[in-house]
Amino acid sequence: MESLPCKECRGLCCGPVPITIQDLRSIKTALKLMPEVRRSELKKQKRYFGTCIFYDLDKDICGIHKARPSICRAFGHYKNLICFRKPEASKDLNWVVTEDPIGILSVDFTWKDFDLLLN
């Protein structure tokens, strides 16, 4: 998050977020390791429509940064995923999807789905 000006964006670029099966596995693992108190804090937050369910509005950070989806890792670094606040950070290349998405966070996968996956 240090390479892009994410602070004070309030998650405006964080959604909709397509995820792959590998992203889902990583998120599930991260959530299992996350303290219940922290999961509960994230889960209870009201978010802007379409904003990722894991964006922490209270702290203005990604709540699963180490396990964030591949598109989030690429965001801001490719010309087809450009950060409007720091366009010079992008390469002159387009990011290419290597695995088909299985759904969208906040639409196809909500906290309810992750609660079921964790049990």
Side-chain angles (χ1 to χ4, degrees), residues 4-15:
L4 296 171
C6 295
K7 285 291 185 192
E8 299 177 13
C9 270
R10 309 297 295 155
L12 296 177
C13 296
C14 299

Side-chain angles (χ1 to χ4, degrees), residues 48-119:
Y48 301 110
F49 178 76
T51 301
C52 178
I53 61 174
F54 299 114
Y55 187 78
D56 188 333
L57 278 168
D58 293 342
K59 296 179 181 172
D60 195 23
I61 60 171
C62 175
I64 58 166
H65 191 260
K66 290 182 180 178
R68 70 195 182 281
S70 53
I71 194 167
C72 301
R73 292 175 189 280
F75 185 81
H77 300 289
Y78 293 88
K79 69 180 183 179
N80 60 338
L81 294 173
I82 198 163
C83 171
F84 70 93
R85 292 179 73 185
K86 193 173 180 182
E88 67 276 8
S90 70
K91 300 174 187 172
D92 194 29
L93 301 170
N94 279 325
W95 182 65
V96 179
V97 178
T98 57
E99 187 181 350
D100 288 336
I102 58 166
I104 307 283
L105 287 178
S106 302
V107 177
D108 301 307
F109 293 95
T110 65
W111 275 105
K112 179 179 153 187
D113 298 300
F114 283 100
D115 287 343
L116 291 173
L117 289 171
L118 293 171
N119 292 324

